[in-house]
Amino acid sequence: MKELILIRHAKSSWEVPMQDFDRGLTCQGINDAHLIALHAKDFLPKSYTIWCSAAKRTTSTALIFAQNVGFPLDSIIYKHDLYTFESKQLEKVIRSCPKDIDNLIVFGHNNALTDFVNKFGSVPVGNVSTSGFVAMQFESEDWNFKKKGKTIKVLFPKDLK
């Protein structure tokens, strides 16, 4: 059994002209990330591996989760190839996860996350919102999904306000 948790970065700012990769979080984004992290605690497996896009908004979101959930900052593995908006690239990265890892948390971007959740999950999701949390389980020995998994939890900030 494999469990995959996908977390979209918190709301980011477009106010300052800069490269997309370097955009930071808004105050609302910071608050929403804290809110989701506090509620997501109960849905995390006992042990897990954490992969995070290297973009500033995803790394900031992962740090907020670490602060609230209590995972060590040095346990976060930053991957430049997770800075993608394409589900095929996201699939490729997830499929590269070693077989001996059973629980993987990925901090990433849309549209890749929404497309992945709808392709491999059991619950259709119109859009994985910023700070959105989706947990899925797969009856598989490895990360090369042969069939859809089961969506076990969906948490969005709007559902908690």
Side-chain angles (χ1 to χ4, degrees):
M1 172 91 65
K2 302 294 183 196
E3 185 165 342
L4 175 64
I5 296 173
L6 300 172
I7 302 170
R8 184 175 171 197
H9 65 79
K11 187 165 183 58
S12 58
S13 176
W14 289 89
E15 290 183 13
V16 179
M18 63 178 57
Q19 293 293 318
D20 180 71
F21 188 85
D22 298 322
R23 286 190 295 118
L25 301 180
T26 64
C27 289
Q28 176 191 339
I30 292 167
N31 291 336
D32 286 350
H34 281 286
L35 179 67
I36 291 293
L38 289 170
H39 282 84
K41 267 189 202 183
D42 298 334
F43 303 103
L44 297 177
K46 297 214 182 297
S47 65
Y48 41 80
T49 296
I50 304 158
W51 289 356
C52 182
S53 161
K56 183 176 181 180
R57 60 192 180 273
T58 47
T59 62
S60 297
T61 304
L63 295 176
I64 291 170
F65 268 75
Q67 177 184 9
N68 286 279
V69 174
F71 55 76
L73 297 179
D74 62 356
S75 69
I76 303 170
I77 300 167
Y78 298 100
K79 293 183 162 280
H80 285 278
D81 50 358
L82 281 173
Y83 177 64
T84 184
F85 310 102
E86 301 293 328
S87 63
K88 288 202 182 297
Q89 175 63 22
L90 178 61
E91 282 179 47
K92 181 180 175 185
V93 175
I94 291 170
R95 289 178 194 275
S96 75
C97 188
K99 184 179 180 178
D100 62 331
I101 293 173
D102 290 326
N103 304 304
L104 178 63
I105 298 174
V106 174
F107 289 87
H109 305 270
N110 246 1
N111 289 331
L113 294 180
T114 297
D115 292 345
F116 186 95
V117 166
N118 287 317
K119 181 175 181 179
F120 292 105
S122 59
V123 175
V125 175
N127 179 50
V128 175
S129 70
T130 52
S131 298
F133 173 101
V134 179
M136 305 164 70
Q137 287 181 339
F138 296 89
E139 294 288 338
S140 180
E141 296 292 319
D142 59 28
W143 293 94
N144 291 311
F145 316 117
K146 305 289 187 266
K147 58 182 179 174
K148 282 187 172 242
K150 179 180 178 186
T151 304
I152 55 174
K153 188 65 182 175
V154 176
L155 280 175
F156 297 153
K158 69 177 181 172
D159 301 326
L160 302 172
K161 294 179 181 178

